Amino acid sequence: MSIIISPSLLSVDFLELKTELERLNQIDDLWLHLDIMDAHFVPNLTFGEPVLRNVKSATKHKLDAHLMVTDPDFFADSFKDLGLHNFTFHWEAEVHHDRLIEKLKTMYPSVGISLNPSTPLSVIPNYLLGKVDLVLLMSVNPGFGGQKFIPEVIDKLIELDKIRHENNFKFQIQVDGGINEQNAGYLIQAGANNLVAGNYIFSEPNKDYLSRVNKIR
Ligand code: DX5
Ligand code: ZN
C-alpha cells in the first residue's frame, strides 16, 4: 500500500480558507482530513455541512471526514450528498457498530472506525475489522490540533498490523495526532499507511506545505 498523507484542515488559516485549499491543490495524492467536532464527544466545536460543501467545491482532494461526535448516525445522513470519500466514526460514540457500518457502506466509498488512545484494540471483533476500509488510531486525545504525540500508540499499531496480515484484511491504518517528521518514519515502519498531520504541515513559515508533506512521506 502506498502512503497517503491527509492534512488536517483544523490547522489552516480559516480567514484564508480558499487560498489554503489552492495551496493544497498544488500537491498530489493527498486526502483532506476534516475534523468534525460537536462539543459533546470532545470539548471543541468545528464545522459542518455548509463549510464542507464549500470545501468540496474548492479542493481536488478526496475528503476524509473524522467524526468526533456523539451521534455519528445523524451526521451520516446530514453529509450524505456532499461527496465525501471517507467517513470515520468513533467506536466509543456508538452502540450499534455493525448496523452503522452497514448503513455507511451504502452511502460512502470508504468507511472507517476510530479508537481513542486509551481504547484497546480488543473492543473490535474481527468480523467488523473485515467490513471496514480504514481503522484510525488516535495518537492524541481528540479535540484539538497541535497536541503532543502519545508514543504508546505504536504498540497498538504493530498489533493491528499483525491482525491485518494474519486475517488478510484490507483496511488502511490511519494514525492521527502529533505527527511530524520525527515520528512519521516509525509509524510507517510499524504498519501505518495513512498519516494525518495538521500543525506540523500548516506551521511551515513560508506556507511551503509540499516540503512538510515530503518530509513525512
Ligand atoms: C485531533 C484531530 C486531529 C488533529 C491533528 O482531535 O482529530 O486530526 O487536527 O492535528 P495535529 O497534527 O496538529 O495533531
Ligand atoms: Zn482527526
Side-chain angles (χ1 to χ4, degrees), residues 8 10 33 35 37 66 68 138 142-146 176-178 196-199:
S8 166
L10 199 57
H33 189 78
D35 288 303
M37 305 184 186
H66 175 197
M68 288 160 277
M138 288 304 300
F144 304 94
D176 179 9
V196 176
N199 185 60

Side-chain angles (χ1 to χ4, degrees), residues 177-189:
I179 291 178
N180 55 39
E181 68 193 75
Q182 268 90 45
N183 52 33
Y186 293 108
L187 296 169
I188 292 168
Q189 250 176 31

Side-chain angles (χ1 to χ4, degrees), residues 4 17 36 48 53 86 98 122 142 166 168 173 182 184 186 190:
I4 293 169
L17 183 53
I36 311 300
R53 199 175 286 285
N86 179 66
D98 195 3
S122 56
E166 283 171 359
N168 200 23
I173 303 180
Q182 268 90 45
Y186 293 108

Side-chain angles (χ1 to χ4, degrees), residues 95-116:
V95 178
H96 303 291
H97 305 97
D98 195 3
R99 180 189 291 153
L100 181 58
I101 289 167
E102 290 297 339
K103 171 173 168 171
L104 291 171
K105 282 164 83 75
T106 68
M107 303 167 110
Y108 299 95
S110 170
V111 175
I113 47 179
S114 178
L115 295 180
N116 283 331

Side-chain angles (χ1 to χ4, degrees), residues 65-77:
H66 175 197
L67 283 288
M68 288 160 277
V69 303
T70 50
D71 189 355
D73 190 69
F74 166 80
F75 287 94
D77 292 329

